[in-house]
Amino acid sequence: MSSNAEALVEGAKKWASHYGPYPNGVEGAVVTAQLRVRAGWDANDADAIADLFVDNGSMLVGDAQLSSREEIRAYLADAFAGGFQGTRLTDEPKEVRLLTDSVAIAVTEGGVVKKGQDGIEPEELARSLWVLVKKDGDWRVMSRQTSPVKS
């Protein structure tokens, strides 16, 4: 196997492990939306993340309540050029619930890993609530809100 193919296989195995208890079925498809946000964050790509949200999607980042795809895009572009530059996201699924055929909620746990660190600091652990909607056959993010986890 070529080194490029080996790298692709290893990458696929790594991402497959992030589905937690939801590797298949509709729940797995729902988790894919959250994983695509995570991949966009890891690439510090504001456009990739914003494009996963519906037009009027919302995202709470710290104290900033972002109320549209364009607000999310602008905020993250600034953040990735500044304090979030080089960060990556760890966000593992803890629960996925289908509310209808086209609406789901997911709870994840993780947070932002700072540049140069191997993992998240325990005091920075957060839980996220995702509202996801199926639009044109694809799961998209309606809302993501995070809260710190207190020990």
Side-chain angles (χ1 to χ4, degrees), residues 53-77:
F53 280 78
V54 296
D55 289 336
N56 63 341
S58 68
M59 184 167 144
L60 180 65
V61 181
D63 291 332
Q65 180 63 58
L66 310 172
S67 300
S68 72
R69 181 187 298 154
E70 294 314 313
E71 284 185 19
I72 293 165
R73 185 184 320 279
Y75 179 91
L76 290 176

Side-chain angles (χ1 to χ4, degrees), residues 1-19:
M1 187 181 307
S2 73
S3 62
N4 190 31
E6 288 175 9
L8 289 172
V9 168
E10 285 307 308
K13 286 179 182 178
K14 177 188 116 185
W15 281 100
S17 70
H18 297 307
Y19 280 85

Side-chain angles (χ1 to χ4, degrees), residues 39-99:
W41 193 292
D42 290 359
N44 284 189
D45 187 340
D47 290 328
I49 296 168
D51 290 345
L52 291 167
F53 280 78
V54 296
D55 289 336
N56 63 341
S58 68
M59 184 167 144
L60 180 65
V61 181
D63 291 332
Q65 180 63 58
L66 310 172
S67 300
S68 72
R69 181 187 298 154
E70 294 314 313
E71 284 185 19
I72 293 165
R73 185 184 320 279
Y75 179 91
L76 290 176
D78 287 345
F80 291 144
F84 282 147
Q85 186 176 37
T87 62
R88 58 190 175 84
L89 193 61
T90 94
D91 221 5
E92 303 297 332
K94 298 298 179 189
E95 182 176 0
V96 175
R97 287 190 187 186
L98 295 170
L99 303 179

